[in-house]
Amino acid sequence: MDSADTSVQGFHEQGVYPCPACRLGQIQALSLMDAMACNACRHIFTANLERQWLLMVDRSPPLVWHWNGRNWTGAHVEGVKLGWRYWLNAVAFVLLPPVLIGLSAYIVTDSGAPLPLLSIVWTGLTFLFHLALIGRSVIGFYRFPVGTYFSVMGRNLLSR
Ligand SMILES: [Zn+2]
């Protein structure tokens, strides 16, 4: 609440705002340009003042945030949402391969005999690998800049 003057006002291009991408820097208008930039992560934004939107234009498709008078909400890719189809595919992608591997190991193993350890390890690894791929895809979709976040944090700590 240190910027009480602008915190409850509408978003305008002359103001200074917290950066919605890295949440550490501040964005303000670039001189001579119809764009805004963050002083920490260097992302470039353009504003839609009518709709109180901010678009991160240096990625494609651009990410959009909405200014609610106090802060930025709802990062999403313009015109795209992670709908139920995506999550259905994600669940199938994570679960199907290990199930198939586990099932085939179960079928070729004599009934009553324990599953070979290798098959169990292999099934587990397949599950983890696919889970990691989906995690990466979701982080990439929202493009939460984990690397930027930590490098700016590190810089702030060092400069103290
Ligand atoms: Zn930033």
Side-chain angles (χ1 to χ4, degrees):
M1 292 293 164
D2 48 3
S3 57
D5 294 344
T6 54
S7 62
V8 288
Q9 285 179 15
F11 169 60
H12 59 93
E13 260 168 336
Q14 273 65 50
V16 178
Y17 298 90
C19 173
C22 64
R23 294 150 208 272
L24 290 164
Q26 290 185 313
I27 54 167
Q28 60 188 108
L30 292 169
S31 48
L32 306 177
M33 281 179 72
D34 191 20
M36 303 178 86
C38 171
N39 59 7
C41 65
R42 311 271 172 213
H43 279 299
I44 306 292
F45 304 89
T46 60
N48 181 327
L49 299 182
E50 268 167 50
R51 298 170 124 167
Q52 299 281 292
W53 277 4
L54 191 72
L55 278 82
M56 188 200 279
V57 287
D58 55 6
R59 60 155 282 164
S60 145
L63 268 182
V64 180
W65 287 269
H66 181 252
W67 181 254
N68 69 2
R70 289 180 181 276
N71 44 43
W72 301 109
T73 58
H76 62 275
V77 177
E78 194 179 22
V80 187
K81 281 201 167 142
L82 290 186
W84 62 271
R85 274 170 206 279
Y86 176 88
W87 294 113
L88 201 67
N89 282 325
V91 168
F93 182 74
V94 171
L95 290 184
L96 270 185
V99 165
L100 286 177
I101 290 173
L103 208 62
S104 59
Y106 179 78
I107 288 166
V108 297
T109 308
D110 295 333
S111 57
L115 282 178
L117 183 64
L118 184 68
S119 300
I120 295 168
V121 170
W122 191 245
T123 306
L125 282 179
T126 308
F127 173 74
L128 288 179
F129 178 69
H130 284 80
L131 194 66
L133 281 180
I134 288 294
R136 251 190 57 163
S137 145
V138 171
I139 289 173
F141 183 86
Y142 289 111
R143 197 62 83 84
F144 181 72
V146 180
T148 310
Y149 184 82
F150 283 112
S151 73
V152 172
M153 282 278 273
R155 222 185 300 151
N156 287 352
L157 285 176
L158 287 176
S159 63
R160 243 170 229 164

